Structure formats: C-alpha cells, structure tokens
Amino acid sequence: MATKVTKKHILNCQFSNWYSLFRTLSPKARVIKPIPASILRYLNEDGIYIKDVSNTIEDLTDEEDGNGEEQEDIHVSSYYPDKPTIQLIDRIISELDGAVVPKLNWSSPKDALWMMPTGTMKCTSAEDVLLLLKSSDFIAHDLDYAFDDCIEEDAQEADLTNQKFPSEFSHELILKEWFPIHSSTEFRCFIKGKNLVAICQRDDNYYDFLEDDMKEFLPLLQDLASKLSEFPDPNFVFDAYVQKNRAWLIDINPFCARTDGLLFAWTELYAMDSEAEGPEIRLIPK
Ligand code: ADP
C-alpha cells in the first residue's frame, strides 16, 4: 500500500534535519540556514546571469517578442548576490579544502552538469556554485514546489496546508566537501518499518565486480542502516557511498514515489514485507 507523504516527512528529509542527527556518518558539509536573502533573490529572478570579462553581469534570457515568437535577448542585469555573501561562500569553500558540491534543502543541481567545464558538480568558487544552482530545474523545484502534493496528517498539518511553506520552514544552502566518488559503489537503500528491505545501485551502468563485492558491501550498508534508527520516520530511503571499509551516508529521501525507486518499482516497494529477514538486492544486469 502506498505511503502518503506529509509535510512533516518532507521536512524530516531536509539536509539540515538529518545531518544534525547523523553528522559523523556523512562526509563533511556546511549548512547556511537560512539561505542568504541575496542568493534566494538571485535564484528566483528570471534568466541566467553570467559575469563577462569586463566584470559586468549579463542576463541571458529567452524573451517573447510582441508577436509571440521567441528571440534570444542579452541584456545587463544589475542583480547578483552581494559581496559579503560571495565572500562567505568562498571562505567556506576554502575551509572545505577548495572544492564543494552545492545543494539546497533536498536536491543537488545534478541536472545542470552541462554548465560546468568539468562536467561535474565540483565547484571551486562562489561563482561556480551560483551558476550551477541557477541552471538547475531540481533546485527550482526545491525553491517552489517541494511541498506540492503532500497530504495533511492531522489538524496541525492541516493548519499548514494553505501556506506554500510550513511556518517553521526556511531554505538552506548546503556546501558539501567535494571528493572523488566512484559511482559504481553508490547505493540506494530502502527502509521500511525501520528495517532495510531493499538495496540497489544508483548508477545505471553494469559493473562486473559488483556481484562479488556486494558480499562485502552488504554488512557495511546494514551497519549504516542500523545507525539511522533515530530518524523520525519508520519508512525512508537513504543513499550511501561505499569507500574502502566504510559506508557513508549521502542523503535521505522520503519513502514514496517522488523518490526515484531506481531498480525497484514503487508498487514492489510498497508491497515488501517490512519484517523481511534480509534486503532484496538489485544490480544492473550484464
Ligand atoms: P540528490 O539528492 O540531488 O540526488 P545527492 O546529495 O544524493 O543529491 O548527490 C547526487 C550525486 O552527487 C551523488 O550520487 C554523487 O555522485 C554526487 N555527490 C554527492 N555528494 C558528493 C560529494 N561530497 N563529492 C562529490 N560528489 C558528490
């Protein structure tokens, strides 16, 4: 049976919420909460802004002309986050060894890799961070639509449903220390009734060594899952990265169809026995 997602579930899965519980299980990160107002304004403005060589800001937008035809228009915009904000981000980047992966409350801008010269989310300056965030639809979703389609569970939640955001909510900017990740050992793990019921690869390539290596990885993932019992919801999805003899917590997502089930269909996940003895493991077949 499908799990209904409430605003509380979504709030529990914000980075700052789970990271405060499981800081030691996750790679180093800094939370800026609330997100500086000038970044919020920059992200909410229409158009993509880039700095040109003469240090002015250009706004590249597709604008509708009077006849309804699209034309590309380039014009100077006066708006860019203020200097103290830029300096704050640059300072955190240098404190985190010179490179970060940015994220808002729930999502990273992994749909905007085409904007980056490296084709990765590795950001070495505040300008990288801002451009990557600004270019991402996933970030736009976090900004505006994160609580769409939630149901209210009780009177307290019903109270919140008429608002776009719950009253205690604020957007946050996360800067995670960048490190080289081998996507072959990234896994999505499904917890149901506090029990690890399913594990699959996150990457969609076939790796011939994974089937054997899973024998070593499984206890590491089970150990990580057992350390997450403090998470307030009995059902959730977590992402992990196995490196050497350790599984790192990368992210926590709600247990519902808005989270990608990857190699599992949500009908299968909803039907799984929460008291099953071991997790069902799925890897990309040859
Ligand atoms: P999302 O919730 O948007 O999926 P994640 O935090 O799970 O964002 O990260 C998405 C991907 O970015 C991960 O699958 C991983 O490959 C990469 N990634 C995440 N954190 C880091 C990091 N600290 N350094 C390098 N790459 C990272």
Side-chain angles (χ1 to χ4, degrees), residues 190 198-200 261-266 268-269 272 280-282:
F190 301 85
I199 300 175
C200 68
L262 299 176
L263 301 183
F264 292 96
W266 274 99
E268 294 177 290
L269 292 161
M272 278 180 183
E280 182 174 342
I281 297 172
R282 279 194 197 162

Side-chain angles (χ1 to χ4, degrees), residues 101 103 106-108 110 121 176-179 181 186 202 239 250-251:
V101 171
K103 183 162 184 159
W106 301 275
S107 307
S108 66
K110 62 186 178 200
M121 288 195 285
K176 308 200 288 179
E177 182 172 303
W178 180 88
F179 64 101
I181 280 194
E186 287 192 86
R202 273 191 92 176
D239 292 324
I250 300 296
D251 198 13

Side-chain angles (χ1 to χ4, degrees), residues 15 18 27-29 99-111 113 120-122 138-139 142 175-183 186-188 202-203 239-241 249-253:
F15 187 95
W18 64 256
K28 215 191 290 178
V100 297
V101 171
K103 183 162 184 159
L104 294 197
N105 303 49
W106 301 275
S107 307
S108 66
K110 62 186 178 200
D111 57 327
L113 302 185
T120 73
M121 288 195 285
K122 182 178 184 181
F138 294 165
I139 294 301
D142 273 18
L175 298 173
K176 308 200 288 179
E177 182 172 303
W178 180 88
F179 64 101
I181 280 194
H182 301 284
S183 30
E186 287 192 86
F187 299 96
R188 180 151 286 183
R202 273 191 92 176
D203 191 26
D239 292 324
Y241 177 57
L249 177 63
I250 300 296
D251 198 13
I252 293 187
N253 294 295

Side-chain angles (χ1 to χ4, degrees), residues 182-201:
H182 301 284
S183 30
S184 57
T185 57
E186 287 192 86
F187 299 96
R188 180 151 286 183
C189 304
F190 301 85
I191 300 274
K192 196 171 180 187
K194 300 264 175 199
N195 188 26
L196 179 59
V197 293
I199 300 175
C200 68
Q201 270 178 255

